[in-house]
Amino acid sequence: MSQFFTILTRSGAAALANGMALGQAVHITSFQVGDGGGAAYEPTLEQLKASTALVNPVYTGAINELKQDPENPARYYIEGVVPVNKGGWTVREVGWFLENGEMFAVTKFPPSYKSIPADGAATELPIRTYLAIGSDANVTLKIDPTVVLATREFVEQKFGLVDVDKHKVAVTTNNALHVFTAYADLQIPNDTGTSFKFMIDDSVDVNAGKCRIVAPVGHKISVKGVLSDIANIKTARVIYTAVKIAGVWKI
């Protein structure tokens, strides 16, 4: 076995076997990274299988991608992202968790220091691995779109980026993604467009200013059922979609 690898925990194997027996999907929702207690991390294979938690978790996030390997259906590719502003520690361990909080699998990760802006240079850290499960397994990713972080690679490949660094009217073409790179207002167009996408770049400190979506004259914005003329967006690196339904723009 390689020095670094991902393996099912005993509780994960039991959950998978139970799901297969009942014909039910196993939902993976989140991941944690840990520093192994701040020192060299050398657990045995049996210790990893028996583990129910990381030695010392330092960050928890939502998984943003899970897919079956088309060249090897017995394994799955899984990915999470540690954002730019989190870090100051060395990642040595990763846990992958089910929606009920059980640790489904664990990764012995190559030691990787996660820098932060205070270090003078910082970037996101994608956490990626392959997990051997079996070609008959029904494993799915259950996503909360309000907390999943999009990688820069995904954003740049999938969308046509529209920079928002001052007041701007949104573009309603399907492939456009409006990216706040400064505090600004994004005006919803008063036309026949029915949706548009936007996000805040992680270079923007959402606690120090406002990135706002502004409703067109005669319309309202609905956020979690609350109507208003302006919506303040407070989370970076999440791709939001505003959709016009019955005259109301819902985010």
Side-chain angles (χ1 to χ4, degrees):
M1 180 176 286
S2 170
Q3 182 181 1
F4 304 107
F5 53 87
T6 299
I7 190 170
L8 284 177
T9 63
R10 289 203 178 102
S11 60
L16 184 62
N18 185 63
M20 293 177 69
L22 297 177
Q24 297 176 347
V26 175
H27 300 301
I28 302 177
T29 58
S30 61
F31 76 104
Q32 287 184 343
V33 298
D35 65 2
Y41 176 67
E42 295 297 338
T44 66
L45 191 61
E46 288 305 310
Q47 286 174 328
L48 289 176
K49 287 181 179 180
S51 62
T52 58
L54 298 184
V55 175
N56 186 43
V58 292
Y59 174 77
T60 301
I63 292 171
N64 69 328
E65 187 171 6
L66 173 70
K67 60 185 179 183
Q68 199 167 22
D69 184 350
E71 297 183 0
N72 182 359
R75 69 177 188 172
Y76 284 73
Y77 170 84
I78 188 168
E79 177 185 283
V81 179
V82 181
V84 168
N85 63 340
K86 302 295 182 182
W89 19 255
T90 297
V91 178
R92 297 182 176 90
E93 52 179 344
V94 182
W96 308 93
F97 291 83
L98 301 176
E99 60 182 336
N100 65 1
E102 289 186 356
M103 190 163 71
F104 181 72
V106 62
T107 300
K108 186 173 183 290
F109 199 77
S112 303
Y113 179 71
K114 176 60 180 71
S115 60
I116 52 177
D119 294 327
T123 185
E124 65 190 13
L125 177 63
I127 305 294
R128 298 163 172 158
T129 190
Y130 281 98
L131 176 60
I133 295 177
S135 58
D136 295 328
N138 186 5
V139 181
T140 65
L141 172 60
K142 196 167 186 178
I143 288 181
D144 178 350
T146 64
V147 296
V148 172
L149 298 180
T151 64
R152 289 186 186 277
E153 180 183 14
F154 172 82
V155 168
E156 291 172 356
Q157 289 180 354
K158 189 172 180 64
F159 298 103
L161 304 185
V162 179
D163 188 40
V164 182
D165 58 1
K166 57 185 178 181
H167 182 84
K168 180 166 288 187
V169 177
V171 178
T172 55
T173 53
N174 290 336
N175 196 45
L177 174 64
H178 303 80
V179 181
F180 285 90
T181 55
Y183 307 123
D185 289 346
L186 183 60
Q187 176 76 51
I188 297 175
N190 194 7
D191 60 16
T192 57
T194 56
S195 69
F196 67 93
K197 296 179 176 63
F198 59 92
M199 66 176 283
I200 301 175
D201 189 80
D202 53 23
S203 63
V204 178
D205 183 356
V206 294
N207 296 314
K210 294 182 179 180
C211 296
R212 310 191 307 174
I213 305 298
V214 181
V217 176
H219 293 264
K220 293 289 185 180
I221 298 171
S222 175
V223 180
K224 296 183 178 180
V226 178
L227 297 177
S228 65
D229 297 317
I230 296 174
N232 293 321
I233 309 304
K234 300 179 180 179
T235 304
R237 299 297 304 286
V238 172
I239 297 176
Y240 295 89
T241 300
V243 181
K244 187 179 181 182
I245 301 175
V248 176
W249 285 90
K250 296 187 177 183
I251 298 176

